[in-house]
Amino acid sequence: MRFRSLESRIVTLFLVLIVAVQVIGLVVIQRGIDSNARLAISSELHNGAKVFRRLLDQNAQSLRFGARLLARDTAFVAAIGNNDESDHATIESALANSGRRIKASLSMLISAERKISVSTNPAQSGALEKQVQAMLDLSEQADGANGIAIVERRPYQIVVMPIKAPVTIGWIVMTFPIDRQLAQDMRDVSSLHTTILSRDARGQWLSVGSTFLSPSVVGLVAQMQALAAPGDAPFDLTVEGSKFSARQMLIGESGGERASVVLARSIDEAKSEYARLERWLAGLTFAGIAISALVSVVTAKRIAQPLTALAATARRLEQGDYKGQIDTARKDEIGALARAFDSMREGIAKREQEIRRLAYWDTLTNLPNRAQFVLLLNDSIADAVRREQSVFVLMMDLDRFKHVNDVMGHSFGDALLRQVAARLQLLLANRRHSSAQVARLGGDEFAILLPGFDIDQAQLVAREVLQALETPLSLEDQMVDIGAGLGIAGYPEHGRDAEHLLSMAEVAMYTAKQRNDGAVVYDVAFDKSSEKSLSLLSELRNAIERNEFRLFVQPKITLGSGKVVGVESLVRWAHPERGNVFPDEFIPFAEQTGFIRVLTRWVLEQSAQLCHELAARGVHLKVSVNLSTRDLLDQDLPGKFADILLRHKVSPASFCLEITESAIMDDPVRAQQTLERLHLMGVDLSIDDFGTGYSSLAYLKKLPVDELKIDKSFVLNMESDEGDTKIVRSTIDLGHNMGLRVVAEGIESEAVWRLLAALGCDQGQGYFMSRPIPGEQLIAWMEKWHAPVDIDGAPASEAAAAQVTLAE
């Protein structure tokens, strides 16, 4: 039957509902009683789960207490510390006696080497070994740890307690079976039937202990086997002919096996308490049916009114027609609804207009955004296809914008972007590029669409854009120099749709920024370079995870005495396929991508470990580590380095951090802040490759440095190049006048050694003394090291002085 009016459908619906309520009333009442009973049972099961957890915790505390008493027993600790075979029986007896007192099923001792030393149940201890190993570190940190283990499909509580004297010399492990005794304790405390089950990796259940009779337990296990994993939600079971509501609680997992406890409460027993409530609810239900029938008739008459006019209005709004008039003259509910419709129509029209503006226009610069630019570009490509013309895209990214934003603030950065946008628009307007269109793609990226242009015209516009940006911008009484990297790509040479062209232009843009070339036209070789870079970055990340990097060191020698006083830490990459990869092949890329921070942290970590190991063997050397520009700009570096020193128990005075002049000058303010914090920690600082940068001495003297390191390019040819010798002499004198020690790198002959010593250079390093060697070979090298003969003697000094005279 089809109903032609809303009124007839409403009346019929309410009548059907009333009849339905009459039919199902009693069923609803019964379900209500059942629901209440089940809620009460659910609450009881929930509380029961807490009680069972508390029982487990009590058992664990008992085990931990017993294990702690034994771990602190002086005689027991002394027996372990003696590590004498004759004490083996004493230890085993103490473990057994302590285990019996707290009813533990197993007691065993784990040695300091993390091996099972003594066990009262060897078969069980072997099965527990893997899980115990996983708990040793936690127990040492928290002065004890406990967990659940499953051995031969039976669950056990396991407690691990460290034995300290005062350092950890072993661990005591004790276990307590989770079986029928614990289930009966739970039954006595909560009146809930309790069944302890285990489930193997194949999903087969096994009863470990239950308060139900044995034949009934078999049926319970079969029902559990048939159920999908119930989680924490209550579920029904039929046991001993009665229906129970049950809850499964996971108590432990081990090796793919799971141990659970099933708490059960009889539904029939619970519902017997609700008989009086059932009668009261039945009467209430019948009264509700009568009232509902009356109200439904009245409500149907009030609701069923003609809504045709508003339905038509709604259809016009759906089609996007927001100009139609709505009759709002009526004063009743329909009139109120009509007025609401009219207000909604106006609001939707305004919001749709604003959404369209936000979707396609940049609110900061009032330029088209990326979405609008893509639409314009696609339209231009389609037009170029018809006219057989070309279309070019210029994409540019501002230089140093992030630095300006960080230093001057975001409002200043926003004003800068607005000025750049205005300058680009003015440029195109003055050059009468009427068809060109500027857009802001996001951040500090802009794009220019050049429909109908050829490659020469596009490059001309690119040069004009770069020239326009060369003039400093004036903002808030500040003059800001800002340039850009600019990429060029065009249809049909480089791509045939908007997204591809933008992608190609972006690749060219980043190439321009890397090369400092200003404007670069896309070339397919750039993509290959990008793929290679991505591959190298991925391999670098994997190298850290796979431990492919190796720490090498190059000794630093006191030139006057020949004594080894320090080492410089260097990194080498043992690639599984390429073999040994030299630093020049990956360090520049790591600095460019920011991965250098991860690499520096690795070198600091390994150097601190080596320093600790050397100190333990009585060798005290100062370890030098290079820092990059990105490391200096990391304001968290001092904190991270302090954490490394603390973990490896190494003094800050054992380290010298080397920085280049160029790294300092990239951001002098932030660099100096980082260096001052490192210096306050007690770390020595060194200017590496001194003489190759462009920093001023006025700035360098403000830095808290302790050492100057002469670049090897001046040292290598000192014997034959008079200019290099003068530079080295001046640098040594400068360093000493500033109170700094001076180190020369690149010493490759004894003659250069003696020449540097005569000039007063403090320390040196180079292939003459040693090539970089693996850190673990340093001790062996030092044992074999011998300085040149007569290094302190007069004849050698006179020879060196003669060389200096000749060089002059």
PDB file of all heavy atoms in Angstrom, residues 74 81 161 458 491 576 615 618 697 758:
ATOM      1  N   THR A  74      73.268 -11.902  53.998  1.00  0.00           N
ATOM      2  CA  THR A  74      74.716 -11.656  53.885  1.00  0.00           C
ATOM      3  C   THR A  74      75.480 -12.915  53.514  1.00  0.00           C
ATOM      4  O   THR A  74      76.340 -12.911  52.629  1.00  0.00           O
ATOM      5  CB  THR A  74      75.259 -11.092  55.200  1.00  0.00           C
ATOM      6  OG1 THR A  74      74.486  -9.948  55.569  1.00  0.00           O
ATOM      7  CG2 THR A  74      76.727 -10.704  55.051  1.00  0.00           C
ATOM      8  N   GLY A  81      79.274 -14.305  45.840  1.00  0.00           N
ATOM      9  CA  GLY A  81      80.432 -13.488  45.512  1.00  0.00           C
ATOM     10  C   GLY A  81      81.721 -14.288  45.472  1.00  0.00           C
ATOM     11  O   GLY A  81      82.619 -14.000  44.684  1.00  0.00           O
ATOM     12  N   MET A 161      64.595 -10.971  41.230  1.00  0.00           N
ATOM     13  CA  MET A 161      65.118 -10.013  42.201  1.00  0.00           C
ATOM     14  C   MET A 161      66.636  -9.921  42.047  1.00  0.00           C
ATOM     15  O   MET A 161      67.337 -10.949  42.081  1.00  0.00           O
ATOM     16  CB  MET A 161      64.756 -10.461  43.624  1.00  0.00           C
ATOM     17  CG  MET A 161      65.164  -9.478  44.694  1.00  0.00           C
ATOM     18  SD  MET A 161      64.268  -7.899  44.568  1.00  0.00           S
ATOM     19  CE  MET A 161      62.586  -8.465  44.758  1.00  0.00           C
ATOM     20  N   ALA A 458      61.102  32.927 -21.513  1.00  0.00           N
ATOM     21  CA  ALA A 458      60.951  32.488 -20.122  1.00  0.00           C
ATOM     22  C   ALA A 458      62.223  32.789 -19.332  1.00  0.00           C
ATOM     23  O   ALA A 458      62.170  33.260 -18.175  1.00  0.00           O
ATOM     24  CB  ALA A 458      60.625  30.998 -20.062  1.00  0.00           C
ATOM     25  N   TYR A 491      55.813  23.262 -21.200  1.00  0.00           N
ATOM     26  CA  TYR A 491      55.091  22.354 -22.091  1.00  0.00           C
ATOM     27  C   TYR A 491      55.458  22.721 -23.537  1.00  0.00           C
ATOM     28  O   TYR A 491      55.532  23.913 -23.859  1.00  0.00           O
ATOM     29  CB  TYR A 491      53.578  22.494 -21.896  1.00  0.00           C
ATOM     30  CG  TYR A 491      52.765  21.878 -23.016  1.00  0.00           C
ATOM     31  CD1 TYR A 491      52.417  20.533 -22.980  1.00  0.00           C
ATOM     32  CD2 TYR A 491      52.369  22.649 -24.124  1.00  0.00           C
ATOM     33  CE1 TYR A 491      51.701  19.966 -24.026  1.00  0.00           C
ATOM     34  CE2 TYR A 491      51.652  22.084 -25.167  1.00  0.00           C
ATOM     35  CZ  TYR A 491      51.308  20.740 -25.115  1.00  0.00           C
ATOM     36  OH  TYR A 491      50.607  20.171 -26.137  1.00  0.00           O
ATOM     37  N   PRO A 576      77.798  -2.828   2.841  1.00  0.00           N
ATOM     38  CA  PRO A 576      77.783  -4.270   2.521  1.00  0.00           C
ATOM     39  C   PRO A 576      77.980  -4.573   1.044  1.00  0.00           C
ATOM     40  O   PRO A 576      78.391  -5.674   0.688  1.00  0.00           O
ATOM     41  CB  PRO A 576      76.396  -4.712   3.009  1.00  0.00           C
ATOM     42  CG  PRO A 576      75.581  -3.474   3.053  1.00  0.00           C
ATOM     43  CD  PRO A 576      76.523  -2.369   3.393  1.00  0.00           C
ATOM     44  N   ALA A 615      90.327   5.004  29.404  1.00  0.00           N
ATOM     45  CA  ALA A 615      90.562   5.431  30.786  1.00  0.00           C
ATOM     46  C   ALA A 615      90.599   4.229  31.722  1.00  0.00           C
ATOM     47  O   ALA A 615      91.377   4.192  32.678  1.00  0.00           O
ATOM     48  CB  ALA A 615      89.483   6.422  31.223  1.00  0.00           C
ATOM     49  N   GLY A 618      93.928   2.901  31.871  1.00  0.00           N
ATOM     50  CA  GLY A 618      94.964   3.825  32.308  1.00  0.00           C
ATOM     51  C   GLY A 618      95.472   4.750  31.235  1.00  0.00           C
ATOM     52  O   GLY A 618      96.486   5.408  31.421  1.00  0.00           O
ATOM     53  N   LEU A 697      89.229  38.277  12.593  1.00  0.00           N
ATOM     54  CA  LEU A 697      89.886  38.019  13.869  1.00  0.00           C
ATOM     55  C   LEU A 697      89.154  38.703  15.007  1.00  0.00           C
ATOM     56  O   LEU A 697      89.128  38.199  16.131  1.00  0.00           O
ATOM     57  CB  LEU A 697      91.337  38.508  13.813  1.00  0.00           C
ATOM     58  CG  LEU A 697      92.269  37.716  12.872  1.00  0.00           C
ATOM     59  CD1 LEU A 697      93.636  38.376  12.839  1.00  0.00           C
ATOM     60  CD2 LEU A 697      92.379  36.273  13.329  1.00  0.00           C
ATOM     61  N   ALA A 758     110.332  23.387  15.328  1.00  0.00           N
ATOM     62  CA  ALA A 758     111.207  24.551  15.450  1.00  0.00           C
ATOM     63  C   ALA A 758     110.411  25.855  15.445  1.00  0.00           C
ATOM     64  O   ALA A 758     110.797  26.835  16.073  1.00  0.00           O
ATOM     65  CB  ALA A 758     112.228  24.550  14.313  1.00  0.00           C
TER      66      ALA A 758
END
